[in-house]
């Protein structure tokens, strides 16, 4: 028995194409809901309102940590907590990163629910500070041109500023296996100078009342950047900290270079 095949009509081809395109558009729109506008002005009021809208919270959207690096392409990650269901909190990452082929400025929702850590600040308070820092970041990182260079057999060298939320001491240096290098810098503080090694991680910390001659205090304002030797009292809950990181022989070494204080006015 011979089976006759009917010719495919043009309208059928067009219908299939429309369906496929429609599916891609729906997926793009769903992804677009997590896209933050204006990556060229990431700390604008418009961006803040979009982030608050995605998180479903304005008055209780807290920044729990951040890292802002000196990479060639502007890069930062801000961890956020916002109220979720049943009295729990949702955890988000606010990411600006243009090198991974995805949306350059976006929200990413984490699977785990967390409480708001002690010392976290409202995102609406952090954004203005980061906006002032962003205007002067080239000058700030420019103070450490030599430190930004890789030493012999060293890779992955970068400078970055980080939060100091909830900490009452200073992490001067940390050495860890490379695969642990992305761990959160928040570790239970100690009131006195200490050096400890646990789980393959070795840290040196000092209290805020101690003097440390290797550190600088950098003051950033809309008028410019100034620096001076670090003095006890220069670092408080509103300060940022600037680190140098580098990998060598399978070990990531993070070294504190400066305390960064941002003046919004």
């Amino acid at each position: 028995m011979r089976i006759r095949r009917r010719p495919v009509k043009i309208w059928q081809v067009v219908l299939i194409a429309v369906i496929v395109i429609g599916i891609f558009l729906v997926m793009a729109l769903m992804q677009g809901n997590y896209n933050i506008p204006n990556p060229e002005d990431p700390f604008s009021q418009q961006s803040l309102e979009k982030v608050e809208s995605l998180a479903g919270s304005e008055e209780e959207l807290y920044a729990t940590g951040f890292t802002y690096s000196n990479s060639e392409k502007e890069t930062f990650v801000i961890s956020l907590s916002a109220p979720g269901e049943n009295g729990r909190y949702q955890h988000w990452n606010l990411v600006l990163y243009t090198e991974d082929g995805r949306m350059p400025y976006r929200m990413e929702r984490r699977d785990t629910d967390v409480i708001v850590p002690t010392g976290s600040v409202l995102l609406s308070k952090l954004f203005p500070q980061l906006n002032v820092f962003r205007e002067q970041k080239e000058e700030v990182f420019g103070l450490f041109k030599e430190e930004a260079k890789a030493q012999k057999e060293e890779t992955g060298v970068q400078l970055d500023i980080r939060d100091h939320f909830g900490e009452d001491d200073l992490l001067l240096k940390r050495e860890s296996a490379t695969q642990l290098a992305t761990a959160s810098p928040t570790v239970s503080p100690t009131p006195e100078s200490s050096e400890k090694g646990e789980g393959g991680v070795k840290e040196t910390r000092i209290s805020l009342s101690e003097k440390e001659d290797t550190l600088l205090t950098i003051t950033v304002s809309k008028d410019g950047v100034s620096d001076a030797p670090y003095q006890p009292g220069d670092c408080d809950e509103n300060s940022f900290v600037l680190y140098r990181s580098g990998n060598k022989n399978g070990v990531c070494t993070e070294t504190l270079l400066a305390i960064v204080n941002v003046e919004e006015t």
Side-chain angles (χ1 to χ4, degrees):
M1 180 173 133
R2 188 175 180 183
I3 299 175
R4 296 182 59 186
R5 296 182 178 178
R6 295 183 180 181
V8 179
K9 297 181 180 180
I10 294 178
W11 69 267
Q12 292 174 315
V13 176
V14 173
L15 179 60
I16 293 172
V18 169
I19 292 174
V20 172
I21 293 173
I23 292 173
F24 277 106
L25 285 176
V26 170
M27 292 177 64
L29 287 173
M30 291 177 64
Q31 283 188 324
N33 288 336
Y34 292 92
N35 190 24
I36 312 300
N38 300 327
E40 68 280 356
D41 192 7
F43 306 120
S44 66
Q45 183 64 28
Q46 181 183 6
S47 296
L48 175 62
E49 291 173 358
K50 180 64 174 179
V51 173
E52 292 173 337
S53 174
L54 291 174
S57 177
E58 295 181 10
E59 297 181 356
E60 295 184 76
L61 181 58
Y62 285 89
T64 61
F66 75 87
T67 301
Y68 196 141
S69 76
N70 71 327
S71 57
E72 292 183 7
K73 297 291 185 179
E74 188 170 16
T75 302
F76 63 77
V77 179
I78 302 175
S79 298
L80 305 172
S81 283
E85 298 178 352
N86 301 320
R88 304 175 75 186
Y89 275 79
Q90 303 174 81
H91 193 192
W92 301 78
N93 278 339
L94 178 61
V95 182
L96 179 61
Y97 182 49
T98 59
E99 295 298 294
D100 61 358
R102 301 171 62 190
M103 293 177 289
Y105 194 18
R106 61 186 184 270
M107 291 271 281
E108 295 177 348
R109 185 171 177 175
R110 301 282 296 274
D111 292 334
T112 56
D113 292 330
V114 297
I115 61 174
V116 179
T118 302
S120 301
V121 301
L122 289 170
L123 186 64
S124 57
K125 178 180 178 182
L126 179 63
F127 257 36
Q129 286 183 289
L130 289 178
N131 202 34
V132 173
F133 172 80
R134 183 173 184 260
E135 294 175 355
Q136 308 288 352
K137 67 185 181 73
E138 298 300 330
E139 187 172 349
V140 173
F141 288 129
L143 295 172
F144 303 96
K145 291 181 179 178
E146 292 302 316
E147 288 82 355
K149 297 177 181 177
Q151 304 300 316
K152 186 177 181 181
E153 300 181 354
E154 192 177 32
T155 61
V157 175
Q158 74 168 29
L159 305 179
D160 64 81
I161 66 161
R162 307 173 187 176
D163 64 278
H164 192 252
F165 302 154
E167 295 192 40
D168 56 10
D169 69 350
L170 287 173
L171 172 65
L172 288 183
K173 188 174 183 178
R174 175 164 55 205
E175 296 178 347
S176 57
T178 303
Q179 62 266 27
L180 299 177
T182 57
S184 169
T186 54
V187 179
S188 299
T190 54
E192 299 176 351
S193 297
S194 65
E195 188 169 309
K196 43 184 185 175
E198 185 175 339
V201 179
K202 183 178 180 181
E203 294 185 346
T204 302
R205 289 177 172 267
I206 63 169
S207 70
L208 296 180
S209 61
E210 290 185 62
K211 183 173 172 53
E212 176 55 52
D213 294 333
T214 64
L215 298 181
L216 285 180
T217 297
I218 299 173
T219 303
V220 182
S221 69
K222 293 182 179 180
D223 296 327
V225 175
S226 61
D227 63 273
Y230 170 76
Q231 298 293 331
D234 287 351
C235 184
D236 60 26
E237 66 273 9
N238 296 313
S239 299
F240 302 153
V241 281
L242 191 152
Y243 281 86
R244 178 192 190 274
S245 302
N247 300 318
K248 186 175 181 180
N249 298 325
V251 175
C252 176
T253 301
E254 301 163 88
T255 306
L256 179 62
L257 300 178
I259 305 303
V260 180
N261 292 318
V262 178
E263 298 178 351
E264 297 177 44
T265 56

